[in-house]
Amino acid sequence: MLNRRQLLGAGAAGATLVSSKAWGQTLNMGLPEAAQMDSAATAITARPSSGPDYTPVVTLNGWTLPHRMNNGVKEFHLVAEPVERELADGMIAHLWGYNGQSTGPTIEAVEGDRVRIYVTNKLPEGTTVHWHGLILPSGMDGVSGLSHPSIPPGKTFVYEFDLVKSGTFMYHPHGDEMAQMAMGMMGMFVVHPKDPTFMPVDRDFLIMLNAFDIDPGTYVPRIMTMTDFNLWTWNSRIFPDIDPLVVNKGDKVRVRVGNLTMTNHPIHMHGYDFKVTCTDGGWVPEAAQWPEVSIDIPVGAMRAYEFVADHLGDWAIHCHKSHHTMNAMGHDVPTFIGVNKKPLTQKIRQFQPEYMPMGMSGMGDMAKMEMPLPDNTIPMMTGWGPYGPIEMGGMFSVVKVRDGIDADDYSDPGWYENPPGEMAYEWTGELPEFASNNSPKTILTPKPNSKG
C-alpha cells in the first residue's frame, strides 16, 4: 500500500534499478510494485529529480502512478480489479478500476520515453487496456481479439512502446468495453514535452469526466444504462466533495479535461476567459488558439485550456448541462411548480406527520432541508458556501485564486472574503422605473440620438 508521503517522493523520479540489456534479466527483476491507493483525496506528485523538468499534473481526487527505471525504460504496473470508491462523504460505489481506485491512477511520462506497462487482471473476466490517442504499434493498441488476445483473469500482460508525441491521452478497456467502462475502468495518460520551455505552466490540473447509474440505497452501477445516468462525476467524485482547484494569483494554469461518458459536456469556468491550447490530436499552435469561457468536450475526446490567474476570488467551474450538476437525480419526478399542495398535505400528515411538501416554488428547497435519505446516497442538490446553500451537485467545483499560495501548496484556503463594495447586496431604497413587454413580436431598439 502506497501512502501519501511515499507518493510525494515517488511518481516522476522513481527508483533507478541496475539491470543488463537482456530481456531475460529484466524478467528476473520481477514485476514492478503495484502501488495501491485507498484514499479519494488529491495526491500531489513531486517534480522530477532527473531528466527533463516539468510541472506534474494534479489529478483532482486522484493520484499519479509511480514507476521504476529499468535499463532506461520506465516501468509501470496497473492492476485491473474490483474496488470501492468513495464518490462523496456518505456514498460508496462498488466499481471496477485500477490499483485500488476508480478512476485509475494517472500515468505521467515524457516525450521520447520508452514505457513498459505491466497489466495484471484481477477481474472475473478478461480485459485489455487501450491507450486512447497514443501513437504505437498495432499489437500494443489493446483491442481484444484484434490487437492481441484478451488478458485472462489472473494473468499479466506487458505493453511496451515509445512515446513519440506529447499531449493528454486516456486509457480504458477495449474488451467488454460497455460493461467495464460503465463499472469505472478508465484513467488519464499525460506525456510531457521533452523541451521544458515548450508550453510551460505553473499549475496543471486533470479531470476525467465519467458517469454512473446507481440507485439510492445500492452500490453497483446499472451497466445497461445508455443515457439516463443519475451521477455525473469528475474522477469518480461528486460535489460537494470534489476538491477545489487552488491557484496563486499570477500563476499560468492549465486544465485538461477528458470525457469517457456517453454524452458531451460544455465545461464553463466563471470569472475568466481562456485559450484552448490542446486537443486529442496535439497542441494547438499559438496562432490557432481560440478564446472561450466554455469549452465543449465531445465523447471520447480531450480538451485543455490555459489562463493566467489574475482575478482573485472563488470561481465556479462546472458542466453547463444543468442536470449534470445534480446528484442521485430521479427522472420520473413530476413538476409541482404552481400547485397548491396544502389540502393534500393535510390529508397525508394524518398518516405521516413528518411529510414535507416540496417543489411548488422550484427545487431550491432541497438544498436547505435536512431529511432522511436512503442508505448510501446523498441529496440531489447540496453543498454550503459562506453565504448559504450552493444548490449544486455532480460536475461542480471551485477555482480558488489567492495571493501568497506557495508553489507546492494545493490545500483548501477556505472561502474568499469579498472586499467592501464588491459584493451584491439587498436594495431597500426607491426602485427605478422598469420596462416590461407582453408581446411576442420583435421590437427594434431605436438608434441613439447622436446629438444627445
Side-chain angles (χ1 to χ4, degrees):
M1 186 71 66
L2 192 73
N3 63 36
R4 186 179 178 89
R5 182 175 296 276
Q6 290 170 328
L7 182 66
L8 293 177
T16 301
L17 304 178
V18 178
S19 68
S20 73
K21 295 182 180 179
W23 174 244
Q25 184 72 18
T26 298
L27 292 178
N28 289 337
M29 293 181 63
L31 291 173
E33 178 186 1
Q36 291 278 312
M37 179 59 67
D38 58 3
S39 168
T42 300
I44 310 304
T45 302
R47 296 186 77 93
S49 58
S50 61
D53 186 42
Y54 58 83
T55 299
V57 295
V58 174
T59 305
L60 294 184
N61 299 101
W63 58 299
T64 290
L65 186 65
H67 68 266
R68 74 180 182 190
M69 293 301 299
N70 182 359
N71 193 32
V73 178
K74 287 183 177 176
E75 293 186 333
F76 301 85
H77 191 177
L78 281 175
V79 178
E81 60 185 348
V83 302
E84 286 191 3
R85 173 67 170 180
E86 184 187 65
L87 300 183
D89 185 22
M91 184 169 188
I92 300 293
H94 293 172
L95 306 175
W96 290 357
Y98 301 94
N99 299 66
Q101 290 293 316
S102 168
T103 54
T106 298
I107 297 175
E108 286 188 82
V110 177
E111 177 186 11
D113 282 348
R114 187 170 184 83
V115 296
R116 182 178 298 129
I117 305 173
Y118 297 85
V119 179
T120 297
N121 183 10
K122 292 186 177 181
L123 299 175
E125 67 169 355
T127 190
T128 66
V129 179
H130 168 57
W131 312 101
H132 187 115
L134 287 164
I135 306 300
L136 38 62
S138 174
M140 297 291 177
D141 194 43
V143 179
S144 176
L146 176 65
S147 308
H148 56 75
S150 177
I151 307 172
K155 301 297 183 180
T156 297
F157 276 32
V158 181
Y159 295 87
E160 185 167 346
F161 46 88
D162 295 318
L163 302 178
V164 300
K165 61 184 291 187
S166 61
T168 310
F169 310 99
M170 300 181 279
Y171 65 88
H172 61 82
H174 224 301
D176 194 12
E177 180 175 341
M178 182 197 73
Q180 294 188 11
M181 291 179 67
M183 287 292 289
M185 296 187 69
M186 58 193 68
M188 300 292 280
F189 197 130
V190 174
V191 182
H192 296 278
K194 61 184 176 183
D195 179 2
T197 66
F198 179 72
M199 304 297 290
V201 292
D202 299 302
R203 301 203 175 217
D204 201 339
F205 294 97
L206 191 62
I207 300 169
M208 170 69 83
L209 309 176
N210 57 332
F212 301 101
D213 184 12
I214 303 177
D215 288 335
T218 68
Y219 294 81
V220 180
R222 296 159 58 95
I223 63 172
M224 302 303 288
T225 297
M226 296 182 65
T227 56
D228 291 337
F229 297 91
N230 63 0
L231 293 169
W232 300 94
T233 75
W234 287 0
N235 302 326
S236 296
R237 194 77 166 169
I238 50 181
F239 182 80
D241 290 321
I242 297 175
D243 286 341
L245 292 75
V246 178
V247 175
N248 184 51
K249 184 180 180 183
D251 279 351
K252 187 172 185 179
V253 182
R254 178 184 297 127
V255 180
R256 312 179 193 232
V257 187
N259 178 12
L260 287 179
T261 72
M262 300 282 275
T263 187
N264 64 306
H265 298 275
I267 300 300
H268 174 54
M269 192 175 80
H270 295 204
Y272 285 85
D273 51 27
F274 49 77
K275 286 187 175 182
V276 179
T277 58
C278 193
T279 72
D280 310 73
W283 300 101
V284 179
E286 185 173 3
Q289 295 171 8
W290 69 97
E292 294 280 6
V293 296
S294 300
I295 179 65
D296 193 54
I297 318 296
V299 178
M302 187 288 305
R303 298 290 183 267
Y305 66 84
E306 297 178 17
F307 63 96
V308 176
D310 49 10
H311 305 303
L312 294 171
D314 288 342
W315 306 105
I317 178 173
H318 59 92
C319 178
H320 220 293
K321 290 185 175 181
S322 56
H323 61 293
H324 293 182
T325 53
M326 291 187 174
N327 299 319
M329 183 178 179
H331 298 278
D332 299 321
V333 178
T335 299
F336 290 111
I337 293 175
V339 174
N340 179 10
K341 280 190 175 182
K342 188 173 181 179
L344 179 61
T345 299
Q346 291 173 344
K347 294 179 180 180
I348 293 177
R349 283 181 174 169
Q350 295 176 13
F351 304 95
Q352 184 66 32
E354 297 84 10
Y355 173 72
M356 300 169 64
M358 298 178 63
M360 296 81 73
S361 56
M363 302 298 290
D365 290 345
M366 298 190 68
K368 302 180 181 68
M369 295 180 179
E370 293 186 5
M371 63 189 81
L373 293 171
D375 291 340
N376 200 50
T377 193
I378 63 173
M380 188 170 77
M381 293 188 295
T382 184
W384 286 79
Y387 308 107
I390 295 178
E391 301 177 1
M392 286 284 155
M395 294 178 165
F396 182 95
S397 188
V398 181
V399 179
K400 298 193 172 188
V401 183
R402 302 289 191 274
D403 272 319
I405 301 290
D406 291 338
D408 59 349
D409 185 4
Y410 291 85
S411 59
D412 189 342
W415 299 113
Y416 182 69
E417 295 185 12
N418 296 303
E422 295 187 9
M423 189 173 76
Y425 59 94
E426 181 184 6
W427 175 256
T428 58
E430 184 178 353
L431 291 173
E433 182 180 355
F434 63 92
S436 63
N437 177 44
N438 58 7
S439 171
K441 296 181 179 180
T442 301
I443 298 176
L444 300 180
T445 302
K447 291 182 179 182
N449 188 342
S450 59
K451 296 180 180 180

